[in-house]
Amino acid sequence: MALSKADVNNINVTAVASKAIQWNSAADGFEVGTLGGNMVLLTTATASSSANLTFDSSIDSTYNSYLFKFINIHPSASASFTVNFRDGSTAYDATKTTAYFRAYHQENAGGGVLAFDSFELNQSTAFQDLSGDSVITDNDSGISGALQLFGPSSTTFVKHFMANINSIKAGSSPEMKSSYTAGYCNVTAAIDGVQFKFDSGNIDSGIIKMYGIL
Amino acid sequence: MAISKFNYNSFNVTPVASKALAFNSDADGFTTASGSSMILIKTLTASSSANLSFVNGSSDVVLDDTYPVYKFLCINCHPSQQGGDGDEFSVGFRDGSTAYDASKTSTFFSSVHGEDGSGGAVAYRDSHDQANATGFQTLAVDMDADNDTQVSGELTLFNPSSTTFVKHFIWRGNHVHSSAGIQDTYVAGYCNVTAAIDAVQFKMSAGDIDAGVIKLYGIADS
């Protein structure tokens, strides 16, 4: 006799692609759910000649920390890749103090330097330069890296963030630049939005993913 | 009549150890699937705490060969005092006894910049590295203790259960320093012991961790 096995339509729940089967909150039935884990993808923003990529929802007290991953961010014009934070109004203008240093090395073997550089902010509402100067627009170049934001929902503490970005600087010889930025939004209001953009032109293409860290 | 229950091999999919049961991408059949590889093990919340300690086998903490890599996420850790010896956030590792005194060799550098535009430098800080020393490793120095300031960052510990190799760790964190500005700190080092590291403790150099959260994650199959 053929072995009879339960198939997809034998479970008392509506099937949803790529979802797991779990018990419901009352433990008296099944439901579909997301597979467990503590790094939860919240939003994927894909640029297509975009003036900016903005994350203005899902940043709250649900997670203690939020992680943004930059994947092949390509500018439409040679420009700096920047970030700012929203702290209660509709504007991305939270006051920030930051530090910035970078290592760079050129394709012609020039450079090979590690140093603090003048892309820091002191109590400024301006966008923070994450790439440390303009990046080239060659079709095969882009920016990749990550930014982590800690405790954005706190109304007691300042809000720390730190980023590491790989980019290629425009110049006579293309220059690999590894940028390290850290700082804090010197506000006690919650941060509820984060915006990324180039300081001129558009984000031609690229992806930014926002994760919540449980 | 006996109740008939589905067993592990009752579903129309090949069982795979430690995998979950999920619908396939067409929602017309089953497949096996995995969750995230970053697993939250323990959350400790400070409340005027002398230290926050993660001890394998205690209070549901796992810090053994279950995971090859462990990550500690420190969020808004606020010191109870500033100045004197009370302004350094630090970590110690336990290597077989009850003391957090594993010998360590480490490097320490940081980038700083003041709210008034002063400073602006990245430099090695040789007063905070260690050379086969058993003392706690400083992760944040000259911390400000204003009500709205704190340290946040993450510490990665590699293969703590090894009894062959030294145990590497890497920290990046940032805090508001006592002269009002950002300090972005990088620490790396190794516990120069072959005994397993089975516990990790965070504390201020004096005084308490007034508030804050530290989370321990295991990174599976990394």
Side-chain angles (χ1 to χ4, degrees):
Chain A
M1 188 178 76
L3 189 61
S4 178
K5 293 196 173 188
D7 216 329
V8 64
N9 53 0
N10 297 127
I11 306 295
N12 191 21
V13 66
T14 302
V16 178
S18 303
K19 292 289 186 179
I21 301 163
Q22 63 187 34
W23 281 281
N24 62 22
S25 58
D28 61 1
F30 288 126
E31 64 183 9
V32 295
T34 302
L35 285 165
N38 299 107
M39 181 172 165
V40 180
L41 177 62
L42 301 176
T43 308
T44 297
T46 302
S48 178
S49 300
S50 306
N52 59 69
L53 290 180
T54 300
F55 298 83
D56 58 1
S57 63
S58 303
I59 301 175
D60 53 29
S61 61
T62 305
Y63 302 93
N64 290 121
S65 178
Y66 290 80
L67 181 63
F68 298 86
K69 293 281 190 181
F70 314 117
I71 303 154
N72 294 340
I73 307 296
H74 187 264
S76 66
S78 183
S80 290
F81 186 58
T82 66
V83 65
N84 215 334
F85 304 90
R86 192 175 74 174
D87 61 342
S89 71
T90 58
Y92 289 82
D93 63 354
T95 299
K96 295 170 296 300
T97 291
T98 64
Y100 173 94
F101 71 96
R102 81 289 185 267
Y104 69 87
H105 187 225
Q106 296 165 343
E107 291 184 6
N108 66 3
V113 172
L114 170 72
F116 197 88
D117 207 348
S118 56
F119 298 100
E120 78 279 22
L121 299 174
N122 44 290
Q123 295 298 88
S124 171
T125 60
F127 274 67
Q128 170 65 46
D129 190 332
L130 296 176
S131 60
D133 219 336
S134 299
V135 299
I136 62 176
T137 59
D138 287 1
N139 289 338
D140 63 350
S141 66
I143 292 171
S144 294
L147 180 145
Q148 190 157 13
L149 174 65
F150 294 90
S153 68
S154 172
T155 54
T156 302
F157 295 112
V158 303
K159 265 61 77 177
H160 286 286
F161 60 92
M162 49 194 197
N164 179 208
I165 300 292
N166 276 16
S167 64
I168 306 172
K169 180 187 173 186
S172 56
S173 177
E175 178 178 292
M176 163 60 209
K177 179 174 281 193
S178 182
S179 298
Y180 296 84
T181 306
Y184 52 89
C185 299
N186 197 2
V187 298
T188 51
I191 297 297
D192 65 354
V194 180
Q195 185 173 87
F196 301 93
K197 67 178 185 179
F198 285 101
D199 62 359
S200 67
N202 292 330
I203 304 176
D204 193 38
S205 62
I207 294 171
I208 302 179
K209 290 176 175 279
M210 179 173 74
Y211 300 87
I213 309 298
L214 280 172
Chain B
M1 187 178 76
I3 299 173
S4 177
K5 294 189 176 185
F6 286 121
N7 211 336
Y8 76 97
N9 56 358
S10 304
F11 298 92
N12 193 18
V13 64
T14 302
V16 178
S18 303
K19 296 286 186 180
L21 181 65
F23 296 107
N24 65 20
S25 58
D26 294 324
D28 61 0
F30 292 127
T31 187
T32 57
S34 300
S36 166
S37 295
M38 182 173 170
I39 310 300
L40 177 62
I41 296 170
K42 184 71 177 179
T43 298
L44 295 179
T45 301
S47 178
S48 300
S49 305
N51 59 70
L52 293 179
S53 301
F54 297 86
V55 180
N56 180 49
S58 175
S59 302
D60 301 321
V61 170
V62 175
L63 191 62
D64 56 17
D65 62 358
T66 304
Y67 301 98
V69 178
Y70 289 83
K71 188 181 289 286
F72 299 86
L73 199 58
C74 304
I75 302 149
N76 293 345
C77 292
H78 182 261
S80 66
Q81 68 183 68
Q82 176 179 321
D85 294 325
D87 54 6
E88 294 186 357
F89 184 59
S90 61
V91 65
F93 302 92
R94 196 176 80 169
D95 62 342
S97 71
T98 57
Y100 292 84
D101 62 355
S103 292
K104 295 171 292 298
T105 293
S106 63
T107 59
F108 186 110
F109 70 95
S110 64
S111 175
V112 297
H113 181 229
E115 291 182 4
D116 61 0
S118 63
V122 58
Y124 193 88
R125 319 280 174 182
D126 60 9
S127 59
H128 303 295
D129 57 11
Q130 298 208 18
N132 263 354
T134 59
F136 271 61
Q137 172 63 52
T138 300
L139 301 176
V141 297
D142 301 326
M143 285 186 67
D144 186 84
D146 285 358
N147 289 337
D148 65 346
T149 64
Q150 75 285 5
V151 59
S152 296
E154 65 177 41
L155 175 81
T156 304
L157 175 63
F158 298 89
N159 203 14
S161 69
S162 172
T163 53
T164 301
F165 296 109
V166 303
K167 266 62 76 176
H168 286 282
F169 58 91
I170 297 172
W171 161 264
R172 185 186 181 187
N174 66 43
H175 68 280
V176 183
H177 63 70
S178 56
S179 53
I182 180 69
Q183 185 152 5
D184 180 16
T185 300
Y186 300 77
V187 178
Y190 56 90
C191 299
N192 197 4
V193 296
T194 51
I197 298 297
D198 66 350
V200 177
Q201 184 176 88
F202 297 87
K203 66 178 185 178
M204 299 296 172
S205 50
D208 294 331
I209 304 175
D210 194 40
V213 173
I214 302 180
K215 290 171 171 277
L216 169 63
Y217 301 88
I219 310 298
D221 302 320
S222 54

